[in-house]
Amino acid sequence: MASWQQQEEILRFHSFLLQVYKEGEQNNRTGPSTFETDLQVHLINEGHTNPLEKLWDQNGGFFIVEKMRLYEETSRLEEWQNGEPSVSEAFPKENLSASPLALSRARQLISFYTMSQNPNMKHLQINHAAQLPPLWIRCEPSDPKQTIWLGAESLRNGNNLSGIRLHTVTCNGPLSNNNYSIGLEELKESHRMRHHASDLTVKGFARYGFLESTSLDSLTQEDSLIPLERNIYADFAWEDVKMKLQTPPLSSAALLTVQIASGSPLSSVYEPNRELQFLLSLAEILKNGLIKWPKAPGRKSAVELVQKLLKDLKDEVDGLKSQNDDDTEDNTATVIGSMKTLFSQRGDLDFLELLWCNIWRNVATHEELVKCFSLVIRALQHGALQTWIHQESNSLLSKLIKQSYHGKMETVSLDGDSPMQMLLEIGLDKMKRDYISYFVGKELAMRAHLDYFMSTSVDLQEQVHRIQKLHHVLEIVDNCLDLIKLEHENLIFLTQSCINYYKENPLNEKQAFQLPVRTSLVKEFYQNVHPQIWRVEISSGQGPKRVKTMWQLSSTPPAEHMHPTNGDSLDDTEICGNKEKHFVILSGCSQVEFI
């Protein structure tokens, strides 16, 4: 039986975890919460970042315990009565890495958790009606096996606690050779002996990244400052593993994950993104007032370009100029620099869209914008501009052009924010038609699927926000077409997934979209490269008695708190070159029944 002092420690730890769990359920609080003076506890719920995602399958919340770091407490709850511990919300002074506990301390906390869950320890007088989530503890890998995690989760038979499952995760690395010390048959035999199992299930898993590190030498200094947040990888899962590091067979189930942020200079739709950024800058100016005029990528005079556009159109009407004259300067379809785009220029640009393309690339000041619109309005008033526009255009300038057909135009002021609003309207109209042309033209969506993004029943700021979301869909879909040549049926599925997500959610460029694909479709991308993760899982038993042994090879450390051993360190040149280094992770569990 535990000593009186130990019983007090067990009760304090259990009471603390129970309070954190209850407060987390009520407030969706993630912590960290402090225990005594040296520990902090996170309650990880669904949707939160899960540091054990690659090491442990779990549905529902769980605790992570780690060593207390430097904190500046911003609020403190009232201390519990009768000497019970206080729980306080705290926030880090700086972004420090997670801190592990000494292995002896971790084992002590696992024993406290285990004893608190044992219904036979009646002298503790613990009410087990409220089930505690599993407990995981970060450990210093100072023992010979280099243990990095210890875990414990209670087992139930109906409503009754029946036992505990204990987890151990060890890691060796980084290693620069291919000597992984233990073979597949040895792993299977070890599992059989440990768990007295006869029938084993052996499953394989591998993850391959499809975007390699890209040199930034060819980018401008400005472009190189933009983060290249492009992540496309495929997860493969299969049964009946034959050997370690087996290449996924064609019978594998493959799941593609795509996470791409807008703005990369390497993106296939980099140019439309620059156009969108100018549009967003206009919307920001109208919302918050002029802070800084957005930088235009062009180097020509916007006023001179508008004058030439008006003259060319008048000459066409007068029969002095052919629409297809070779000397017509087309400033609207020029792609700046050497960056390619699969988002091709439309061939049905009307006057207002041509006007937008000339202005947004080159206008440098508000005064220059006013001059551009003055030229257009004067030409309309004097009948010098006779042109067509798309029927569904919704801008003020399109209204003036339609009025000019009948020889009557209302007076428009170009004072204040009016010119910027007019420019934003025609740019918004143009970009909406661009996206319709792409998604409908490539048969990735029907026009009705895009109604949410095209709606004019919301204010201008919301319309811009929705176009920004649709552009993120474009980034994802077009880059998948460009980089991994996804089949049309997969592109349709991906497009609809993104569209449905953004109809219900705000812009989130960190959102990962997933779709199942045929393994044969991506075979060429993984046949001759090393996986980022390769894992084999050996399991036996059924239901709550199922136990698992996992061996994993990873190109990155499996835990934030890991430090290289034996003075070894990871070097990017070695990882990308011939001297690849890896981490070998071994995870096992055991079950103990309460007697």
Side-chain angles (χ1 to χ4, degrees), residues 35-46:
F35 176 68
E36 297 181 339
T37 59
D38 64 332
L39 299 181
Q40 62 184 19
V41 177
H42 301 262
L43 178 61
I44 309 297
N45 286 317
E46 186 176 354

Side-chain angles (χ1 to χ4, degrees), residues 369-426:
L369 178 61
V370 171
K371 290 180 182 178
C372 290
F373 281 134
S374 296
L375 289 170
V376 174
I377 293 174
R378 192 178 304 119
L380 286 172
Q381 289 172 337
H382 291 84
L385 175 59
Q386 299 176 31
T387 186
W388 71 276
I389 57 173
H390 288 287
Q391 186 174 0
E392 69 275 13
S393 296
N394 293 294
S395 65
L396 173 60
L397 207 48
S398 68
K399 181 181 178 181
L400 294 179
I401 291 175
K402 292 173 184 177
Q403 290 175 352
S404 72
Y405 296 160
H406 308 287
K408 287 187 177 182
M409 282 177 52
E410 65 182 82
T411 302
V412 175
S413 170
L414 294 179
D415 296 333
D417 292 338
S418 296
M420 285 181 290
Q421 173 122 357
M422 291 168 65
L423 185 62
L424 178 61
E425 288 175 349
I426 64 175

Side-chain angles (χ1 to χ4, degrees), residues 164-168 187-200 538-541 545-550 587-592:
I164 200 88
R165 181 182 289 124
L166 302 173
H167 299 269
T168 303
L187 275 175
K188 291 160 70 174
E189 185 60 28
S190 174
H191 183 94
R192 285 193 189 96
M193 297 293 291
R194 183 173 187 178
H195 300 291
H196 309 287
S198 55
D199 295 330
L200 303 183
I538 303 167
S539 61
S540 59
K545 292 189 176 182
R546 181 174 176 268
V547 288
K548 182 174 67 176
T549 299
M550 184 271 289
S587 173
C589 67
S590 58
Q591 292 189 170
V592 180

Side-chain angles (χ1 to χ4, degrees), residues 543-571:
K545 292 189 176 182
R546 181 174 176 268
V547 288
K548 182 174 67 176
T549 299
M550 184 271 289
W551 184 93
Q552 176 175 294
L553 189 70
S554 172
S555 60
T556 56
E560 296 175 276
H561 63 274
M562 276 208 60
H563 301 288
T565 58
N566 302 323
D568 210 347
S569 62
L570 281 175
D571 186 298

Side-chain angles (χ1 to χ4, degrees), residues 282-438:
L282 289 178
E284 187 68 19
I285 291 173
L286 287 172
K287 182 179 179 181
N288 299 320
L290 180 61
I291 299 175
K292 183 181 179 182
W293 187 262
K295 182 180 179 181
R299 298 178 180 177
K300 300 178 181 178
S301 165
V303 173
E304 291 179 2
L305 289 170
V306 171
Q307 286 174 331
K308 186 176 189 310
L309 174 64
L310 293 171
K311 181 179 182 302
D312 289 345
L313 291 173
K314 186 177 187 302
D315 288 347
E316 283 180 23
V317 172
D318 294 342
L320 301 177
K321 189 178 184 69
S322 170
Q323 187 173 5
N324 296 317
D325 273 0
D326 291 337
D327 62 341
T328 300
E329 179 181 3
D330 184 7
N331 186 56
T332 67
T334 302
V335 175
I336 298 174
S338 61
M339 299 301 174
K340 66 177 179 177
T341 173
L342 299 182
F343 188 84
S344 57
Q345 183 73 41
R346 286 173 24 237
D348 63 340
L349 298 182
D350 67 10
F351 166 72
L352 291 180
E353 292 171 321
L354 292 171
L355 182 66
W356 160 260
C357 292
N358 279 279
I359 291 179
W360 87 261
R361 288 187 183 278
N362 300 284
V363 67
T365 65
H366 182 269
E367 291 73 20
E368 191 175 15
L369 178 61
V370 171
K371 290 180 182 178
C372 290
F373 281 134
S374 296
L375 289 170
V376 174
I377 293 174
R378 192 178 304 119
L380 286 172
Q381 289 172 337
H382 291 84
L385 175 59
Q386 299 176 31
T387 186
W388 71 276
I389 57 173
H390 288 287
Q391 186 174 0
E392 69 275 13
S393 296
N394 293 294
S395 65
L396 173 60
L397 207 48
S398 68
K399 181 181 178 181
L400 294 179
I401 291 175
K402 292 173 184 177
Q403 290 175 352
S404 72
Y405 296 160
H406 308 287
K408 287 187 177 182
M409 282 177 52
E410 65 182 82
T411 302
V412 175
S413 170
L414 294 179
D415 296 333
D417 292 338
S418 296
M420 285 181 290
Q421 173 122 357
M422 291 168 65
L423 185 62
L424 178 61
E425 288 175 349
I426 64 175
L428 192 57
D429 272 354
K430 187 261 183 185
M431 295 204 74
K432 283 181 179 181
R433 278 190 285 274
D434 287 345
Y435 294 122
I436 291 174
S437 174
Y438 180 89

Side-chain angles (χ1 to χ4, degrees), residues 85 92 109 118 134 219 222 224 263 357 375 403 452 471 481 558:
L109 294 177
N118 191 340
L219 301 182
E222 180 182 356
S224 66
C357 292
L375 289 170
Q403 290 175 352
Y452 165 82
H471 179 83
L481 175 62

